[in-house]
Amino acid sequence: MLAYQIATKGGEAGLAEIAVPEPGTGQIQVRIMACGLNFADLLTQKGTYQDIPDAPFTLGMELSGIIMKTGDSVDNLSVGDRVAVFSGQGGLAEFGVFDAARATPIPETMSFEDAAALQIAYGTSHMALAHRARLRPGETLLVTGAAGGVGLTAVEIGKLMGATVIAHARGADKLDVARAAGADHLIDDAEDLRDRVLALGGADVVYDAVGGAAFKAAFRACNPEGRLLPIGFASGEVPNIAANHLLVKNLSVLGFYIGGYMKFRPDLVRDSFRQLIDWHSAGKLHPHISHTLHLSQVADGIELLRTRKSTGKVVVRPTAT
């Protein structure tokens, strides 16, 4: 089978032909139908992500597909089941073997592409806003990078949770995407972010996927007791936070990494994904997929993320059918 692998530590990623893996105890073998790309795949490929597996390994953190085989002690899933898998690795391949505990059945009404796009981006936004920031109805949520893979989901989920959403993105096309996802107010990257947010009454919660200057401006536009979520650093700059400035408005900066929850509170991740599936089934979530690519085009997809030319999600379909 084909897989998009990093074969050696520090080596280049590329397509490789490897044996189809067999499931062990507590594992399932999945024919992979779709895999969502994430900015973390780019960082992993560069060797700068916080959680890099030992080489050789196959990239691809979230996937969907059909169970082909089950190992011993798997009693809650069966051959033929359609599943989404929060894999952490292994999704950019034609087949993969994963722990059954990381798989969730998906309904027939959900496409494989939507299932692959739903887990990390929507899961990050839902858990960050609901579990960490405790976003409340009537509050104002500022989302930077609001047309990107995670930012767009924060706009959508923030509206579902009853917030007034301010979307910040680069250019009219991206702002139109954020508006379609439910944003109440739009701010172009060329505008003064702090002044515009303050003119709208300030932000109670900041969901920042950009870092750098955007985070600094959002920090200064927070209301008293505001909560800031540094979700990602698409600008390439990790901001420094002056702790004494937190005191003036009693602000909170809340770290969040969904992969960490998979290790110490996987139940929260599973509960969140079930909620997302329910919302999707009810027609309340509409994953925006700007590009659907083949396994041979993974490098092109990662370049789309690097240059921030995609909106919403980039999804790879490893198989032709």
Side-chain angles (χ1 to χ4, degrees):
M1 72 172 193
L2 290 176
Y4 192 79
Q5 281 204 326
I6 293 179
T8 59
K9 183 178 181 180
E12 295 291 326
L15 277 180
E17 191 165 343
I18 63 173
V20 176
E22 293 294 322
T25 300
Q27 294 184 320
I28 55 175
Q29 182 197 77
V30 177
R31 182 189 181 194
I32 298 169
M33 303 302 293
C35 177
L37 288 186
N38 293 277
F39 199 76
D41 291 308
L42 167 63
L43 298 180
T44 299
Q45 190 167 284
K46 289 170 61 180
T48 58
Y49 194 54
Q50 64 260 29
D51 192 6
I52 299 178
D54 294 330
F57 68 93
T58 298
L59 289 159
M61 297 180 169
E62 57 181 337
L63 63 101
S64 61
I66 303 167
I67 296 177
M68 307 304 290
K69 296 180 181 180
T70 61
D72 292 339
S73 301
V74 176
D75 52 15
N76 60 326
L77 297 168
S78 303
V79 171
D81 285 353
R82 304 169 83 253
V83 291
V85 184
F86 192 153
S87 59
Q89 60 173 297
L92 290 171
E94 293 177 304
F95 293 86
V97 162
F98 311 101
D99 290 343
R102 286 180 170 262
T104 302
I106 57 174
E108 292 289 340
T109 54
M110 181 180 289
S111 70
F112 288 115
E113 289 86 354
D114 278 6
L118 203 67
Q119 296 174 84
I120 291 179
Y122 279 96
T124 292
S125 291
H126 181 236
M127 288 190 64
L129 293 175
H131 179 68
R132 293 292 283 144
R134 309 290 183 183
L135 179 67
R136 297 185 293 269
E139 290 191 311
T140 296
L141 168 67
L142 168 62
V143 181
T144 69
V150 291
L152 194 61
T153 65
V155 171
E156 203 170 357
I157 288 175
K159 285 301 295 180
L160 272 177
M161 294 178 67
T164 297
V165 179
I166 304 172
H168 171 259
R170 181 181 298 172
D173 290 345
K174 290 189 175 182
L175 289 171
D176 284 343
V177 171
R179 179 190 289 111
D184 298 286
H185 305 286
L186 308 173
I187 301 177
D188 192 280
D189 187 55
E191 300 178 81
D192 188 306
L193 177 59
R194 174 181 175 270
D195 286 352
R196 283 291 316 279
V197 174
L198 288 175
L200 292 168
D204 300 305
V205 174
V206 172
Y207 183 102
D208 176 48
V210 176
F215 181 89
K216 295 172 187 175
F219 187 101
R220 297 173 65 207
C222 280
N223 290 327
E225 294 193 329
R227 290 92 75 201
L228 297 102
L229 293 156
I231 296 296
F233 314 105
S235 67
E237 181 185 343
V238 178
N240 291 316
I241 299 168
N244 59 315
H245 291 178
L246 297 173
L247 310 184
V248 178
K249 293 183 181 178
N250 293 290
L251 304 180
S252 300
V253 179
L254 305 167
F256 179 79
Y257 167 47
I258 194 170
Y261 279 95
M262 282 300 296
K263 295 177 181 178
F264 70 87
R265 285 297 306 273
D267 58 306
L268 290 178
V269 181
R270 286 193 293 270
D271 289 346
S272 173
F273 191 45
R274 291 188 187 103
Q275 175 65 76
L276 296 172
I277 290 174
D278 288 346
W279 277 339
H280 184 279
S281 297
K284 296 179 179 180
L285 292 181
H286 307 279
H288 177 84
I289 299 170
S290 64
H291 296 78
T292 302
L293 306 175
H294 186 261
L295 197 58
S296 61
Q297 299 172 297
V298 171
D300 297 332
I302 289 177
E303 182 66 8
L304 287 169
L305 300 183
R306 187 188 71 79
T307 57
R308 297 167 67 181
K309 291 183 178 178
S310 59
T311 55
K313 202 72 176 177
V314 177
V315 170
V316 174
R317 288 210 58 146
T319 56
T321 58

